[in-house]
Amino acid sequence: MKIYKLLYVLNQIKLLSPLALFRLMASIYKNGINLMTLVHFSAKNYGERIALVDEQETLTYSQLFARSDELSLSLSQEYRLESGKKVGLVCKNHASLIKTIYAVSATGADIYLLNAEMSEAQLSSILERHHFDLLVIDEELSWLGLGGEQYAHRGAILMSYHPTLPAINNLPPVIYNRTQKRSPASTGKLVLLTGGTTGSAKEAAHKPSLFNYLDPFYDFLIRLKILHYHTAYIATPIYHGYGIAVLLLFCALGKKVVVCRGFNAEMACRLVREHQVEVVTVVPLMLHRMLRTNVSDLKSLACIASGGAELSPKLAQQTLSQLGEVLYNLYGTSEAGLNMIATPQDLIYSACTLGRKIKGVDLKILDDHKKEVEVGKVGQFCIKNRWSMRNGSQIWIETGDLGYRDENGYYYLCGRTDSMIVSAGENVYPLEVERVLLTHPQVEDAAVIGISDELYGQRLKAFVLMNPRAHTNTEELIDWLRPRLARFQLPKEIVLVDDLPYTSLGKLNKKLLT
């Protein structure tokens, strides 16, 4: 089966012909084994096919490689980047970021993709822990160049775009002696620091490898039918592992990728319509806003890949009724990568499911005593695979996610280990109550947390966002919930709110709810 998958993937990226193998060997000889090799190979195979579109430029595969290659030479000469050096990228989605990822990889330096929505304090904390030899930033972070002890960065700083200051878009070309052999480099680490905008960021280091990533690559191609499509819009941040994985996949397949700084639902709908986008990567909050803004703009979508946060059953059903069988639910973590996929047919079976494991994933569901639970019982997901941040180690990763498996092999999420409460001796999962609240026809959004209670130990408190035309009050909501929840699941209190706090990655920020 492994040989079949390998041959299938190699065939899809056009690697089985003598000419393709020659091009690959030439790319490796020139660049080494790194991400630049990928874009060089794609330039040879796909040439003048459009590779990348953002607000400022449109690049073919030949242009993307040429500009990334020139940038790599500039970074090597001007900033002495090489194996062992560390480069931090604090950028939103745009062409300069993508060119920089390829260019830095060609030098052999480690790439750290940092959350571009972090506060000054959070970014300063990361800079204290890591000495970056180069920091590439968007213009809105120019305060980092002001110096001062509070910023803790002593390396070089380079803008992604700027009309006058040194920036990725205006670095002078390097005078390069073509008779001199360029030293190929092996790719450094690709490190994700994407723990959201609150608390300490999680660090997950990956070493790109076709063989390590063969199973998720294959399952993503087959289950999402990627080979049928030509254009993808990456709406999720590239600094999130989900975004960069799709970017690299589409580069290998010679597809067109559309990116844009930040997310605005009206703009996102317009991009889908203008480029006739077939595949879009979203977090559920993005999808919710796009459906509410202009469904008619989304008719070209054949594959909506949702991940990074909990997909509500209500949103899954709305998508099915308005756009048809186009929604896929992806489950993964920064540390363990992609592990489960729910197809549109799986979501018809159950709008709550995470789907089934992909091949190559070992998954145990363990109780508090580290023993496997029975089918249908809730425990913590613990995962082992070859493409995790441990890259092939035999260590199980505790995800911190609670869930269970049904008798048909489908998996379900019940929340985080730190969100579960014990109320009068019963385990209570806030996510289950949120799902029930979201089925109310007048409820737009909901978040549930645990609070202390003298009698029960802990109870639930719900924060509910009603739709603009709602006329239901909190007492009526409690009455509506009673026949739908167990007694110990009923919230002690319901608070109606005007909005709910979300992180830049589209996850509910419950730390801000009290």
Side-chain angles (χ1 to χ4, degrees), residues 60-129:
T60 65
Y61 274 96
S62 294
Q63 291 170 328
L64 178 59
F65 168 70
R67 296 184 189 180
S68 300
D69 188 45
E70 185 177 84
L71 176 60
S72 177
L73 294 171
S74 296
L75 294 176
S76 296
Q77 180 170 300
E78 297 297 324
Y79 297 94
R80 301 291 185 263
L81 294 187
E82 60 187 5
S83 179
K85 297 292 183 70
K86 295 165 65 174
V87 180
L89 308 181
V90 198
C91 302
K92 295 183 179 178
N93 291 9
H94 47 61
S96 271
L97 169 63
I98 292 168
K99 287 182 280 189
T100 304
I101 290 171
Y102 291 129
V104 172
S105 179
T107 70
D110 294 340
I111 300 170
Y112 285 70
L113 295 175
L114 309 182
N115 190 326
E117 301 291 341
M118 285 186 292
S119 68
E120 291 189 22
Q122 289 158 347
L123 183 52
S124 295
S125 175
I126 288 174
L127 296 179
E128 286 176 3
R129 299 201 310 271

Side-chain angles (χ1 to χ4, degrees), residues 177-282:
N177 182 1
R178 294 293 174 183
T179 62
Q180 180 183 357
K181 183 175 179 290
R182 179 180 175 181
S183 299
S186 295
T187 188
K189 292 182 296 183
L190 183 62
V191 183
L192 307 177
L193 289 171
T194 56
T197 56
T198 61
S200 298
K202 294 182 291 185
E203 181 173 327
H206 298 262
K207 192 85 169 177
S209 162
L210 173 62
F211 295 99
N212 282 342
Y213 288 86
L214 183 61
D215 283 320
F217 190 81
Y218 177 85
D219 271 45
F220 194 86
L221 284 179
I222 297 300
R223 293 204 207 178
L224 276 68
K225 304 175 184 177
I226 294 298
L227 298 175
H228 298 291
Y229 312 128
H230 302 285
T231 303
Y233 166 36
I234 301 179
T236 48
I238 288 172
Y239 58 73
H240 193 236
Y242 177 29
I244 193 167
V246 174
L247 171 70
L248 298 178
L249 171 66
F250 268 66
C251 179
L253 296 173
K255 310 293 187 181
K256 173 181 169 183
V257 169
V258 179
V259 296
C260 188
R261 289 172 177 252
F263 176 82
N264 171 277
E266 185 176 346
M267 174 198 63
C269 290
R270 178 175 55 79
L271 287 174
V272 170
R273 184 189 72 247
E274 286 182 359
H275 295 279
Q276 287 297 287
V277 170
E278 298 146 297
V279 181
V280 63
T281 66
V282 294

Side-chain angles (χ1 to χ4, degrees), residues 313-492:
K314 186 173 185 177
L315 180 57
Q317 291 162 349
Q318 287 174 343
T319 306
L320 177 64
S321 65
Q322 295 182 57
L323 294 175
E325 297 179 19
V326 298
L327 181 60
Y328 296 78
N329 190 19
L330 279 59
Y331 171 80
T333 70
S334 296
E335 298 92 337
L338 177 64
N339 293 282
M340 289 180 238
I341 297 174
T343 66
Q345 294 71 36
D346 294 334
L347 293 171
I348 291 172
Y349 166 82
S350 171
C352 297
T353 188
L354 297 172
R356 300 174 186 268
K357 293 186 303 179
I358 65 176
K359 297 293 185 182
V361 171
D362 289 327
L363 192 154
K364 294 180 180 179
I365 303 178
L366 305 181
D367 63 18
D368 292 340
H369 304 291
K370 308 299 182 185
K371 293 189 176 180
E372 286 196 66
V373 300
E374 300 173 3
V375 170
K377 298 293 185 180
V378 175
Q380 181 179 186
F381 291 158
C382 296
I383 291 171
K384 182 172 66 174
N385 60 46
R386 285 184 305 281
W387 54 92
S388 73
M389 62 179 288
R390 313 285 168 84
N391 276 348
S393 79
Q394 297 303 303
I395 298 174
W396 290 86
I397 294 175
E398 296 184 357
T399 64
D401 288 327
L402 294 170
Y404 64 93
R405 180 174 64 87
D406 71 13
E407 64 278 2
N408 294 318
Y410 287 92
Y411 288 84
Y412 300 82
L413 193 64
C414 293
R416 298 285 296 169
T417 53
D418 56 4
S419 69
M420 186 195 80
I421 70 167
V422 178
S423 183
E426 299 281 357
N427 291 344
V428 183
Y429 306 99
L431 182 59
E432 293 181 345
V433 180
E434 290 170 4
R435 286 174 175 164
V436 173
L437 278 166
L438 287 171
T439 64
H440 190 288
Q442 296 179 23
V443 171
E444 186 84 8
D445 204 355
V448 179
I449 63 171
I451 58 174
S452 298
D453 183 85
E454 290 185 8
L455 184 60
Y456 293 91
Q458 289 178 297
R459 293 281 301 278
L460 296 179
K461 180 177 181 179
F463 298 82
V464 178
L465 174 65
M466 307 296 290
N467 68 44
R469 297 174 298 281
H471 49 76
T472 303
N473 59 37
T474 55
E475 290 78 12
E476 290 170 332
L477 270 179
I478 288 289
D479 289 341
W480 181 86
L481 285 171
R482 278 198 176 93
R484 294 169 171 84
L485 294 174
R487 176 191 53 78
F488 53 83
Q489 291 178 306
L490 275 175
K492 179 180 182 180

Side-chain angles (χ1 to χ4, degrees), residues 124-141:
S124 295
S125 175
I126 288 174
L127 296 179
E128 286 176 3
R129 299 201 310 271
H130 297 277
H131 171 70
F132 293 114
D133 300 281
L134 175 64
L135 203 58
V136 179
I137 62 174
D138 286 339
E139 189 173 353
E140 49 265 41
L141 291 173

